[in-house]
Amino acid sequence: MQRYQSLTTMVRGIDTATFEGTGLRKKVFAKALKAFERAFMQGRSDESVVTVIDYELHSKNKRLWVIDLQTKKLLFHEYVSHGQGSDPNHDGIMDSVSNTPNSNQTNVGLMKTGETYSGKHGNSLRLDGLETGFNDNARSRGIVVHSASYVDDKAIHRAGKSGRSHGCPALDPDVTGRIIETIKDGNLVFAYYPDPDWLRRSTYLNN
C-alpha cells in the first residue's frame, strides 16, 4: 500500500509541461497522469515506468513516450504504428478506434503490459486492457507490442508515414527489444485518441 501511495504522490508532483518540448502534448499527458494516478490508487501497477501513445498525431511523428515518473526522465521517444482498420485510406491519420475482434483497428485507453513471448514478429509483449468496452479484448485480439519493418525510421521518412498493423502498437525493430525489456510485466500504457465515447465514459478519466 505504501508503494502505491508513493506512486500516487509522485504523479501529482509532475508538471504536465515537463515533456512538452518532445512533442508530448500537455492535454494528453494530463489525461495520462490522471489515468496512471487512479490505476496506482487501485493497485493495478507498482511500476513507475509508464508509456504514453498519442494516436491523434500523424504516424510520421514520433508519438510514443516511455517515461520514468520517479526520475522524471524520458527513456524512449519513438514511432509507433496504428491499425489498418483505423486508417482505411492509409494517409497516416487514424479516424476511429475499436475493441472488436477482427476489426484490425487500434484500441484506446489504459492498458497494462503482460508477459513476453516469441511469435512471428520475434520477441513480443502481450497487453491487457483495463477499460471494459474499450480495450478489454486486447489480449484475446492479439494486440501486442512487436517489431515491424514498416515502422523503421528510414521507411517512414521515405513514405512520409508509418505502415499499418492489424491493431498492434508495432515499433521500429532497432528499439523494440529494449523497450519491451523496459516495460514488460506490469507497466501501464496509456493510448490516447479523442474518441468521444471513451472520453465521456472512461472510469480512469472521469471518476
Side-chain angles (χ1 to χ4, degrees):
M1 182 61 70
Q2 186 174 3
R3 172 63 172 167
Y4 298 134
Q5 291 174 339
S6 175
L7 287 165
T8 300
T9 301
M10 186 188 309
V11 170
R12 292 174 180 171
I14 295 177
D15 185 346
T16 55
T18 303
F19 302 101
E20 193 173 12
T22 67
L24 179 50
R25 298 183 294 164
K26 289 174 66 175
K27 72 170 187 178
V28 174
F29 196 31
K31 286 180 170 57
L33 289 174
K34 186 172 185 178
F36 296 148
E37 179 182 350
R38 183 160 297 279
F40 290 143
M41 290 173 65
Q42 295 175 351
R44 292 285 194 172
S45 175
D46 61 0
E47 300 292 337
S48 64
V49 175
V50 297
T51 302
V52 179
I53 304 172
D54 185 355
Y55 281 124
E56 188 177 16
L57 297 179
H58 193 284
S59 68
K60 68 182 178 182
N61 298 304
K62 290 187 175 182
R63 52 185 181 163
L64 176 144
W65 295 260
V66 179
I67 297 166
D68 189 330
L69 297 176
Q70 187 166 18
T71 62
K72 299 181 181 179
K73 288 185 177 180
L74 179 63
L75 305 181
F76 298 95
H77 180 207
E78 303 296 337
Y79 299 105
V80 62
S81 72
H82 55 241
Q84 58 187 254
S86 293
D87 179 10
N89 296 321
H90 199 191
D91 57 11
I93 302 173
M94 277 180 47
D95 66 5
S96 59
V97 292
S98 177
N99 190 40
T100 304
N102 303 315
S103 66
N104 291 336
Q105 289 179 273
T106 293
N107 59 23
V108 70
L110 189 66
M111 296 175 282
K112 185 168 74 170
T113 61
E115 73 280 11
T116 60
Y117 70 99
S118 181
K120 64 180 181 180
H121 298 289
N123 190 33
S124 303
L125 176 63
R126 298 193 191 280
L127 295 170
D128 291 301
L130 301 181
E131 303 206 45
T132 302
F134 296 106
N135 59 29
D136 56 326
N137 288 330
R139 180 173 284 259
S140 62
R141 290 181 63 202
I143 302 299
V144 303
V145 179
H146 65 77
S147 67
S149 59
Y150 52 76
V151 198
D152 176 82
D153 57 351
K154 296 181 181 62
I156 291 174
H157 292 159
R158 284 195 302 269
K161 59 190 175 184
S162 167
R164 301 167 299 169
S165 66
H166 288 168
C168 296
L171 303 173
D172 185 334
D174 290 340
V175 297
T176 305
R178 285 182 288 142
I179 290 179
I180 286 177
E181 284 302 305
T182 302
I183 69 173
K184 67 180 183 179
D185 298 330
N187 294 59
L188 297 173
V189 177
F190 181 80
Y192 175 82
Y193 182 78
D195 176 69
D197 192 33
W198 170 67
L199 290 172
R200 183 177 65 253
R201 295 174 49 211
S202 171
T203 57
Y204 287 95
L205 299 181
N206 296 296
N207 294 333

